[in-house]
């Protein structure tokens, strides 16, 4: 498994801050280390940036720690592997202890890549890690452990996922970073397992919401792959997740179970549930765009 270059979600996903920027501004240097099994950047690679920047504006608007209750992300374009992204947020609604922030992620020449909202709740939890995102340095792009693959459009998605399940094809750098493995249940639904590690933790000692979102979004992206016919590419373009509980990051294995709601020629609609054993941690939905 590809190891993160440091012991936190920010460094692992290439997230930092430019010198002199505001507390609600963050930067992500994408790099090959957050690409999927096609060697591409998909929505899961942006989930940590979106989650953290989405929570910061409400966090700094008052006192006390906050957690995310829900994220809703919409991808407007696909970033390139070498792109540097700028993330900003502003509070759209504040009614303590609740808040909603609008998030914008832009890429090269300021083009809008991702937008959406984060709903936060102020809680009374103690912080177990000193410091916060204000301490971040300029980011370094996460490296890849192997040469990047290219998207395989010659075969159907089910064949490609079968190779990922059996290990005949690599899961991709992001999948390995998340401690991932793929399976298919008796009904043909894609499942994605993630082995937790300490670097995935937040400042309250449980799993960072952005890493949770990345794990679940990765499962939905793979569900989209399974539904893609030969000759068709795909992208996870809309993603919404409700956080119910945050697990410990002590080596336990989490399981995402996906289900196809409707798959058409242009768009597929999927749902997902994240479990720690029998405990439901998050529910999510995603729309996959098919092109080609």
């Amino acid at each position: 498994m590809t190891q993160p270059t440091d012991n936190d979600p920010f460094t692992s996903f290439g997230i930092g801050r430019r010198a002199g920027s505001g507390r609600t501004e963050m930067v992500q240097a994408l790099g090959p280390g957050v690409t999927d099994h096609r060697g591409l950047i998909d929505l899961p690679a942006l989930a940590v940036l979106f989650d953290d920047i989405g929570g910061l504006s409400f966090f700094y608007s008052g006192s006390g720690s906050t957690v995310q209750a829900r994220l809703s992300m919409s991808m407007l374009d696909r970033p390139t592997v070498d792109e540097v992204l700028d993330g900003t947020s502003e509070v759209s609604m504040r009614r303590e202890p609740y808040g909603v922030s609008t998030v914008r992620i832009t890429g090269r020449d300021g083009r809008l890549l991702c937008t959406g909202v984060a709903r936060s709740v102020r809680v009374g939890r103690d912080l177990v890690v000193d410091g916060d995102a204000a301490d971040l340095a300029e980011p370094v792009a996460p490296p890849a452990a192997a040469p990047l693959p290219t998207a395989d459009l010659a075969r159907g998605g089910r064949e490609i996922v079968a190779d990922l399940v059996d290990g005949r094809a690599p899961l991709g750098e992001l999948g390995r970073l998340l401690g991932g493995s793929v399976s298919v249940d008796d009904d043909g639904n894609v499942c994605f397992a993630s082995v937790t590690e300490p670097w995935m933790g937040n400042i309250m000692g449980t799993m960072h919401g952005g890493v949770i979102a990345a794990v679940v979004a990765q499962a939905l992206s793979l569900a989209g792959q399974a539904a893609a016919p030969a000759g068709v590419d795909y992208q996870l373009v809309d993603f919404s997740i409700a956080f119910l509980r945050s697990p410990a990051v002590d080596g336990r294995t989490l399981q995402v179970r996906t289900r196809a709601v409707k798959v058409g020629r242009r768009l597929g609609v999927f749902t997902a549930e994240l479990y720690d054993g029998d405990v439901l941690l998050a529910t999510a939905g995603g729309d996959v765009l098919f092109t080609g």
Side-chain angles (χ1 to χ4, degrees):
M1 183 180 68
T2 301
Q3 295 296 321
T5 56
D6 208 336
N7 60 347
D8 60 72
F10 304 109
T11 308
S12 300
F13 280 81
I15 297 170
R17 175 170 281 114
R18 290 190 177 94
S21 62
R23 293 191 298 180
T24 58
E25 300 173 359
M26 299 175 79
V27 177
Q28 181 175 13
L30 289 171
V34 289
T35 54
D36 65 9
H37 65 286
R38 302 167 294 172
L40 299 175
I41 299 293
D42 204 0
L43 183 149
L46 278 62
V48 172
L49 174 63
F50 191 100
D51 173 88
D52 218 88
I53 198 67
L56 281 179
S57 54
F58 180 64
F59 174 80
Y60 286 124
S61 72
S63 60
S65 57
T66 62
V67 297
Q68 305 287 51
R70 178 180 289 275
L71 303 178
S72 295
M73 303 172 61
S74 289
M75 293 291 290
L76 309 181
D77 200 358
R78 184 190 296 281
T80 60
V81 173
D82 62 348
E83 203 149 358
V84 177
L85 310 184
D86 287 274
T88 62
S89 73
E90 61 178 353
V91 176
S92 303
M93 184 278 286
R94 179 184 172 193
R95 194 173 298 127
E96 294 287 353
Y98 305 106
V100 174
S101 298
T102 302
V103 181
R104 287 173 54 89
I105 298 176
T106 57
R108 190 175 291 115
D109 298 323
R111 89 184 191 284
L112 185 60
L113 295 172
C114 180
T115 187
V117 297
R119 182 176 294 275
S120 304
V121 182
R122 205 172 298 280
V123 295
R125 298 184 192 174
D126 294 330
L127 306 184
V128 300
V129 177
D130 292 332
D132 59 27
D135 302 321
L136 294 177
E138 293 213 16
V140 176
L148 294 184
T150 56
D152 182 2
L153 300 182
R155 298 185 302 152
R158 282 287 173 188
E159 296 178 77
I160 294 172
V161 169
D163 284 352
L164 298 178
V165 171
D166 294 339
R168 293 190 297 266
L171 183 56
E173 295 298 311
L174 179 59
R176 284 192 286 266
L177 177 65
L178 296 173
S181 60
V182 187
S183 61
V184 177
D185 67 18
D186 293 339
D187 296 321
N189 298 312
V190 172
C191 301
F192 182 73
S194 173
V195 179
T196 63
E197 295 186 26
W199 72 264
M200 299 175 174
N202 57 25
I203 58 176
M204 287 174 281
T206 57
M207 195 170 189
H208 190 285
V211 179
I212 293 175
V215 168
V216 178
Q218 179 65 25
L220 287 167
S221 179
L222 291 169
Q225 173 67 93
V232 173
D233 199 4
Y234 77 94
Q235 183 180 6
L236 181 62
V237 292
D238 286 291
F239 172 69
S240 179
I241 182 168
F243 300 108
L244 307 180
R245 297 175 179 84
S246 183
V249 285
D250 55 3
R252 68 187 63 201
T253 299
L254 309 181
Q255 184 83 13
V256 188
R257 306 168 190 171
T258 72
R259 182 176 69 87
V261 177
K262 179 177 174 57
V263 177
R265 292 181 57 194
R266 302 297 181 189
L267 196 68
V269 179
F270 302 86
T271 61
E273 294 180 329
L274 174 67
Y275 286 89
D276 177 5
D278 295 329
V279 178
L280 181 63
L281 302 176
T283 63
D287 293 353
V288 172
L289 186 68
F290 301 114
T291 58

